[in-house]
Each structure stands twice: as C-alpha cells, then as structure tokens.
Amino acid sequence: MMQRMFHRNNHEVPALNTSSLPDLIFTVLFFFMIVTHMRDVELKVRYEVPQGTELQKLTHKSAVIYIYVGRCYTASHQTDGEDMQIQLNDRIATIDDIKSYIEKERASMSPEDQARMTVSIKADRDTPMGQLADIKRMLQQSFALKIHYSASEK
C-alpha cells in the first residue's frame, strides 16, 4: 500500500505550438515600419541652436514643417562665411522660395494636419534678426502663423 501512495506518474509537457509565431513577428515588424518616421532631409547648413529656459516639445510631428538657417556646409563644400543660408527640404533656397514651399507642403498634408500645421525654424544662434524677421514675414504671407523656434535647454 505504501508504494502506491508515493508512485509518480510520468507526465510529459506538451510541445509549444509555434505555427502562429511568424504571423505575430510580421505584424509587429509591419507596425514599426508604419509608425517610424525616417529622416529624409540631408542637412546642408550647420547651426548651433540657442539656449532657452521656457521650452516645450512639439506635438503632432506629421504637421511640422522645418526651415533650417545656418552657414553653408556640405561634405564636399564648407564655407565659413558670415552669410546665413536657408535650407528647405534638401535644397538651399532664398527667402522668396518660402511661400511656395509652405503652400506645397500644406497641399501634401491631410486636412487635420493642415489645421495643426506648425513651422519649426532651426536657426543658428548668430542668425541676424533681420533675416529671421524676413522669414517670419514670408510665413505670414503664406498664412503659416504657428511658428516654433528650436532651442536647447540651458
């Protein structure tokens, strides 16, 4: 009788079914491919953003249009001149190009993003205020009234 009480049955653990694992992996991969925003602008100007104390993060990055202002810099060509260049997407532009650039970017946005559209100016700390005022005037003419100035924290 004692032997029967302590007798153990040998139970095997069932094998794990991995048939749905590839579907799960591809679903997660597809999700990350959709939500990841790849940087598609090659910087041709270099800039040092000014420092600030009252900073806020941008929300709705799909509704943000970037304007870069700095000294001309590319891998094959580097200029240390004092004149600041404006970069819109991947090309160096003039102040007069800003209005058509904003209109083109606005047309490519969804209606919800058009309502939230913000222009982020990433300008060098030594950019003359007159040039920033000219950029701001062109943004007003194209009805881009939400303007964000990039800065780093003090």
Side-chain angles (χ1 to χ4, degrees), residues 70-120:
R71 290 181 178 84
C72 188
Y73 173 78
T74 59
S76 63
H77 175 96
Q78 182 173 353
T79 305
D80 286 327
E82 291 301 316
D83 56 333
M84 297 291 178
Q85 301 290 321
I86 299 170
Q87 179 178 341
L88 307 173
N89 280 342
D90 281 332
R91 66 182 187 90
I92 301 295
T94 64
I95 290 187
D96 296 328
D97 297 331
I98 292 175
K99 187 173 182 179
S100 62
Y101 170 70
I102 295 297
E103 290 169 358
K104 183 182 77 159
E105 290 292 317
R106 181 182 286 132
S108 68
M109 291 181 177
S110 68
E112 296 84 23
D113 284 345
Q114 287 179 3
R116 294 187 292 235
M117 186 182 80
T118 303
V119 176
S120 177

Side-chain angles (χ1 to χ4, degrees), residues 3 8-10 12 15-17 22 29 33 37 49 59 86 88 93 101-104 114 118 121 128 130 132 137 139:
Q3 284 182 342
R8 289 189 171 173
N9 291 334
N10 287 337
E12 291 187 20
L16 183 62
N17 184 2
L29 178 65
M33 287 173 57
H37 177 71
V49 293
T59 57
I86 299 170
L88 307 173
Y101 170 70
I102 295 297
E103 290 169 358
K104 183 182 77 159
Q114 287 179 3
T118 303
I121 299 176
L132 289 175
R137 181 177 35 82
L139 291 173

Side-chain angles (χ1 to χ4, degrees), residues 6-79:
F6 293 111
H7 186 282
R8 289 189 171 173
N9 291 334
N10 287 337
H11 294 288
E12 291 187 20
V13 177
L16 183 62
N17 184 2
T18 59
S19 63
S20 65
L21 194 58
D23 292 337
L24 178 66
I25 289 172
F26 284 116
T27 303
V28 171
L29 178 65
F30 185 71
F31 171 76
F32 284 115
M33 287 173 57
I34 295 293
V35 299
T36 302
H37 177 71
M38 302 302 261
R39 183 176 184 164
D40 54 355
V41 174
E42 178 184 339
L43 289 179
K44 296 182 180 178
V45 295
R46 59 188 162 111
Y47 60 92
E48 291 181 36
V49 293
Q51 294 181 339
T53 55
E54 302 295 322
L55 304 179
Q56 295 177 345
K57 289 194 180 259
L58 279 175
T59 57
H60 306 292
K61 297 231 178 185
S62 63
V64 177
I65 299 173
Y66 294 97
I67 296 177
Y68 303 94
V69 183
R71 290 181 178 84
C72 188
Y73 173 78
T74 59
S76 63
H77 175 96
Q78 182 173 353
T79 305

